[in-house]
Amino acid sequence: MNTQVLKIDEEFATLIPPLTTDEYTRLEQSIITEGCREAIIVWNDIIIDGHNRYKVCKAHDIDFQTTQKNFKSLEEAMLWMIQNQLGKRNLNAFRRIEMVRNYEKAIKAQAKARQGTRNDIKEHSGNFSGMSHPISRDARDELGNMAGVSGNTYQHAIYVIDNAQAHVIEAARNNKISINSAYEVTKLPEDQQEEIAKLIGQGEAVKSAISEVKSRKRKSEHDTTANTSDNVLSQSATSETSLRNDKTNLTAMNDE
């Protein structure tokens, strides 16, 4: 058994999307049956690749090998991690973008920390209407290219990640809805987003789900307007009746 204790850096660990329950179970069974065939990659004893393999090996007292890699900086190590994972794992476009977004956020946080209190350095950002996460067009295209999508698709996915309800994000992760459709859904009110995501989860087509929820919304608004009109008419009729009664009573009093 390998008694070596490796370091787990949370910034590195959270950079990579976690395995699904099914993916982790398959990995665990493979390692238990065949051993840990792939070495765990480390940088100064910090795990760079193999967090899940290390966890399984430690849990079941299974031997493992390590391979040391050298990087010039934290950013270089993170970039290698992202590129390595994108090449190894069968991720859909949305999950690839989530991974690249984690890298983007980590790099920005490090740059901000290095900048410290300096105020002469400003982040160059574009002005994309309606976007919650404005970045320069060149940077957007470069990040999109890392994720294997266009810059525009990358920006739409970031809008979804930052603003969508959890049901919509989960649907995008599981290929239940495309990034562009998720972007359109995210621009709707939160209650409608949740309804649409649930319908999609039940197997309904995206366009049909959006149409159905919007139709329900219009009907609800129509019913509310109709009820309000009925109430106004009813109150008006009541007022008129009351006024006629007052006039009748006044006339009777005058006749006396």
Side-chain angles (χ1 to χ4, degrees), residues 15-17 19 48-49 77-104 142-149 154:
L15 191 63
I16 306 302
L19 296 179
I48 300 297
D49 178 64
M78 287 183 169
L79 180 59
W80 183 88
M81 286 180 68
I82 292 295
Q83 293 173 333
N84 180 57
Q85 286 293 317
L86 290 174
K88 286 171 55 177
R89 293 178 63 179
N90 185 24
L91 303 173
N92 69 6
F94 189 83
R95 293 183 71 190
R96 292 198 305 272
I97 290 170
E98 284 188 298
M99 190 185 298
V100 173
R101 172 70 188 289
N102 288 341
Y103 167 75
E104 178 195 354
E142 184 176 348
L143 291 165
N145 186 56
M146 281 181 65
V149 299
Y154 181 84

Side-chain angles (χ1 to χ4, degrees), residues 64 151 194:
F64 60 88
E194 189 168 347

Side-chain angles (χ1 to χ4, degrees), residues 48-68:
I48 300 297
D49 178 64
H51 291 86
N52 292 296
R53 297 194 298 281
Y54 180 70
K55 181 179 178 181
V56 171
C57 289
K58 283 297 183 181
H60 298 280
D61 292 334
I62 295 173
D63 194 24
F64 60 88
Q65 301 297 318
T66 61
T67 297
Q68 184 75 226

Side-chain angles (χ1 to χ4, degrees), residues 243-256:
L243 182 59
R244 284 196 299 271
N245 290 337
D246 289 343
K247 286 181 178 180
T248 301
N249 292 334
L250 182 59
T251 301
M253 290 175 64
N254 289 337
D255 288 344
E256 293 176 356

Side-chain angles (χ1 to χ4, degrees), residues 1 7 20 29 37 51-52 56 60 69 73 82 91 108 127 171 178 196-198 206 209 211 215 217 238 244:
M1 172 186 170
K7 299 174 185 176
T20 64
Q29 289 303 315
R37 296 179 299 175
H51 291 86
N52 292 296
V56 171
H60 298 280
K69 286 194 75 71
S73 65
I82 292 295
L91 303 173
K108 283 186 175 181
N127 182 22
S178 70
I196 290 169
K198 285 181 178 178
V206 175
S211 178
S215 177
K217 181 68 174 177
T238 301
R244 284 196 299 271

